[in-house]
Amino acid sequence: MAATLNSPVYVSDWLKYEAGSYYSRGTGTVASGSGVLVSGTVLARVTATGKYVPAAATGADGSQTANAILVAPVDATSADVPCVVVESHALVSHAGLTWGSTINDATKRAAAIGQLRTVGIKVREGA
């Protein structure tokens, strides 16, 4: 049986430009139950708690509005975890982003990309 090699996702895989002095970044909390998230996961903030979760295609609690991208991997399987996110003034590569399980087709990805653009994160195709 052949070995499977899994390469981690690095910030440089998806973040192509950010404003100087880390102006593009912010801090927050990934909500417990979100699971193991990799760098480049597109996030949304739940209105009631202010905590991040992977962005969803639908909802009414804020989780349906993509507005940040996770910088470093976290394990929020069973506890809230502090995180660093890119939240504005950035250019990112579509190829390096990881989408929530319900953002599973081109139409839903396009909607989330539009939401990111409203906070100043431009998503580009390619490298």
Side-chain angles (χ1 to χ4, degrees):
M1 186 163 135
T4 301
L5 300 177
N6 293 320
S7 177
V9 178
Y10 296 102
V11 175
S12 60
D13 291 339
W14 57 271
L15 182 60
K16 302 306 175 184
Y17 169 82
E18 67 178 315
S21 300
Y22 298 113
Y23 179 79
S24 302
R25 297 188 187 193
T27 58
T29 302
V30 175
S32 176
S34 296
V36 177
L37 306 179
V38 298
S39 176
T41 299
V42 177
L43 301 173
R45 191 185 303 255
V46 175
T47 306
T49 64
K51 296 175 185 175
Y52 287 108
V53 296
T58 61
D61 62 355
S63 64
Q64 75 282 3
T65 306
N67 57 20
I69 303 172
L70 186 64
V71 171
V74 298
D75 183 353
T77 303
S78 59
D80 290 349
V81 179
C83 67
V84 175
V85 297
V86 170
E87 59 187 10
S88 67
H89 296 85
L91 179 65
V92 302
S93 172
H94 180 274
L97 298 179
T98 299
W99 303 94
S101 61
T102 62
I103 301 178
N104 53 13
D105 64 35
T107 303
K108 293 174 185 173
R109 279 191 294 279
I113 288 169
Q115 293 164 353
L116 289 172
R117 188 173 184 95
T118 64
V119 296
I121 300 173
K122 294 182 181 181
V123 179
R124 298 284 189 246
E125 294 291 329

